[in-house]
């Protein structure tokens, strides 16, 4: 049954081609917002906390600081409103899910920039 679901996802769900990014990278996500009959593009720039799932159900979580308050947002990879993803900085972290980043503030919340990739 699982192989059938995977086959349908691979064949019929259109995949958007975004650049490679992982936990620790700073990215900017541009997405479309509909307000009444008007649409506008808004962006969300922050550090990727995690990537979760596979195929069409894959999501990624981004965290940014708005003043002194941390704001996290979860984006599905196949969301139709997603327009583009830009990788601003490559971060060097040892884990795939950096939940410890939520507890850090100030200079401790900096992520070392990766030289490779």
């Amino acid at each position: 049954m699982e192989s059938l679901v995977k086959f349908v996802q691979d064949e019929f769900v259109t995949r958007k081609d975004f650049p490679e990014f992982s936990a620790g990278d700073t990215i900017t996500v541009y997405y479309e917002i509909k307000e009444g009959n008007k649409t506008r593009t808004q962006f969300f720039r922050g550090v990727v906390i995690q990537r979760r799932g596979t195929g069409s159900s894959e999501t990624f979580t981004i965290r940014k600081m708005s003043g002194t308050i941390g704001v996290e947002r979860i984006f599905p990879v196949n969301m139709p409103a997603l327009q583009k993803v830009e990788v601003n900085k490559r971060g060097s972290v040892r884990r795939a899910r950096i939940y410890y980043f939520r507890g850090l503030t100030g200079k401790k919340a900096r992520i070392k920039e990766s030289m490779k990739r």
Side-chain angles (χ1 to χ4, degrees):
M1 187 65 179
E2 290 177 20
S3 62
L4 183 63
V5 171
K6 191 172 194 172
F7 172 75
V8 169
Q9 286 177 353
D10 292 340
E11 291 294 320
F12 298 109
V13 177
T14 59
R15 296 262 314 160
K16 296 182 178 180
D17 52 335
F18 294 129
E20 259 322 294
F21 61 90
S22 60
D25 295 349
T26 302
I27 64 171
T28 306
V29 178
Y30 294 88
Y31 58 99
E32 204 171 74
I33 292 181
K34 292 183 181 177
E35 296 172 333
N37 56 359
K38 290 188 276 185
T39 61
R40 65 183 175 88
T41 301
Q42 186 168 329
F43 67 91
F44 193 90
R45 181 178 178 174
V47 177
V48 178
I49 297 253
Q50 69 171 347
R51 285 187 76 155
R52 165 176 276 169
T54 59
S56 64
S57 63
E58 185 177 359
T59 62
F60 57 96
T61 305
I62 303 178
R63 180 180 176 84
K64 75 172 183 179
M65 292 301 290
S66 180
T68 58
I69 298 170
V71 179
E72 288 187 14
R73 178 137 187 185
I74 300 171
F75 291 99
V77 172
N78 285 339
M79 187 167 87
L82 278 185
Q83 291 179 340
K84 68 177 178 175
V85 175
E86 290 179 352
V87 179
N88 303 105
K89 273 197 307 191
R90 301 272 185 196
S92 173
V93 292
R94 294 183 178 188
R95 298 176 182 271
R97 297 188 175 154
I98 53 174
Y99 296 134
Y100 65 87
F101 193 65
R102 294 172 175 159
L104 303 179
T105 57
K107 287 187 176 181
K108 292 189 177 201
R110 289 184 297 187
I111 293 178
K112 187 177 178 184
E113 194 163 352
S114 172
M115 299 298 169
K116 296 180 183 176
R117 264 203 275 171

